[in-house]
Amino acid sequence: MISGNLALVDKESMEARETLAIAKTLVITTDNDYNRAGELLRGIKTISRQIEEHYDPHIKRAYEQHKALVSDKKANLKPLEEAEAILKPKMADYHEEQERIRQEEQRRLAEEARKAEEIRCLEEAALLEQQGEVAFADHLIKEVLTAPAPLITLPKSAKADGISIKSVWSYEVVNEALIPREYLSIDHSKIGKIVTAMKAQTRIPGIKVIEQKQVSARRW
């Protein structure tokens, strides 16, 4: 426990537990019960203030130390974060360019392979025609002319140890009016301000105004 007036803290802690026990068992059926509940509420405020006065100075000192440590941490991390922010786009650009080159080379090799296969089949078809196999030659020519380019797969660019690259998808709104309703969210903050100001006079389609009573108590 934090150093300080331990006896006072123990007394307040005991009073807090006793107050909770009474609150759980108290049934309000008469004016006297109602007044008793009011006394308990005011007592809660007094005990709460005493506990706060004991702990708040310690919490404040810890918070100030926390802020100082966080500030030092940020100051030491800042140059590393800046360096990371510089290196990552450079690596992503290089990776993207190498991937573009790889895919371009794949397409070039696939087209070369397709043309080579086309020449081979045309030569074979010409030989078949010479042998009188005209129908078979025509079928072979049609087949080679409609065949897709062969699939060529080249190894991807080399990876740096401990580094991975993935695609991260995002979006931007180009026409808000076209966005379907299911992708829109209600502005609860704006509605709440209107309800607070207008109260029962609020008139917003689709909104039901709810009034709830809240009890507050002053300290002794």
Side-chain angles (χ1 to χ4, degrees):
M1 181 176 288
I2 299 173
S3 61
N5 191 338
L6 298 181
L8 178 60
V9 174
D10 288 342
K11 176 177 175 293
E12 293 161 350
S13 178
M14 181 179 66
E15 289 177 348
R17 291 193 296 271
E18 289 175 351
T19 300
L20 174 60
I22 295 172
K24 286 181 176 180
T25 58
L26 180 62
V27 179
I28 301 177
T29 57
T30 67
D31 288 351
N32 287 336
D33 295 335
Y34 185 83
N35 290 330
R36 174 57 176 153
E39 291 175 0
L40 283 174
L41 276 178
R42 292 194 297 276
I44 288 170
K45 295 293 184 180
T46 300
I47 298 171
S48 296
R49 179 185 60 194
Q50 292 170 347
I51 293 174
E52 289 168 358
E53 288 174 351
H54 175 78
Y55 284 100
D56 283 353
H58 301 290
I59 293 172
K60 183 179 179 181
R61 284 194 296 271
Y63 177 64
E64 293 300 329
Q65 184 180 21
H66 169 77
K67 285 200 302 183
L69 290 171
V70 169
S71 178
D72 289 345
K73 174 186 174 182
K74 287 183 177 178
N76 284 291
L77 286 176
K78 187 175 180 180
L80 298 175
E81 291 170 348
E82 290 180 359
E84 184 176 348
I86 291 170
L87 288 173
K88 282 184 174 180
K90 289 182 178 181
M91 295 179 72
D93 289 345
Y94 174 81
H95 180 272
E96 187 175 351
E97 176 63 13
Q98 294 305 305
E99 182 64 13
R100 184 191 66 77
I101 292 172
R102 184 182 73 87
Q103 291 181 4
E104 227 174 60
E105 181 65 7
Q106 282 184 171
R107 286 191 291 269
R108 188 187 68 80
L109 292 175
E111 182 61 19
E112 284 186 357
R114 187 193 65 78
K115 287 181 178 179
E117 179 65 10
E118 182 179 321
I119 292 171
R120 187 191 67 78
C121 288
L122 289 174
E123 290 175 348
E124 184 177 342
L127 183 59
L128 287 170
E129 284 184 348
Q130 291 175 6
Q131 296 173 352
E133 299 287 348
V134 177
F136 192 21
D138 288 343
H139 174 75
L140 186 60
I141 291 172
K142 289 179 181 178
E143 190 175 78
V144 71
L145 291 177
T146 57
L151 180 63
I152 304 293
T153 303
L154 295 177
K156 294 190 176 183
S157 57
K159 294 183 179 179
D161 289 342
I163 302 298
S164 61
I165 296 180
K166 65 178 181 180
S167 296
V168 178
W169 297 90
S170 60
Y171 68 93
E172 64 176 328
V173 177
V174 294
N175 190 336
E176 187 173 340
L178 297 179
I179 300 176
R181 190 178 190 282
E182 60 264 29
Y183 297 108
L184 304 177
S185 60
I186 297 173
D187 191 339
H188 290 284
S189 176
K190 185 175 181 179
I191 294 174
K193 289 177 182 177
I194 293 174
V195 171
T196 299
M198 301 298 295
K199 302 178 177 60
Q201 302 304 313
T202 303
R203 296 293 181 268
I204 302 176
I207 297 297
K208 175 185 176 182
V209 177
I210 300 171
E211 180 184 10
Q212 293 177 314
K213 299 295 184 181
Q214 292 185 346
V215 178
S216 60
R218 299 188 302 274
R219 291 173 175 171
W220 281 331

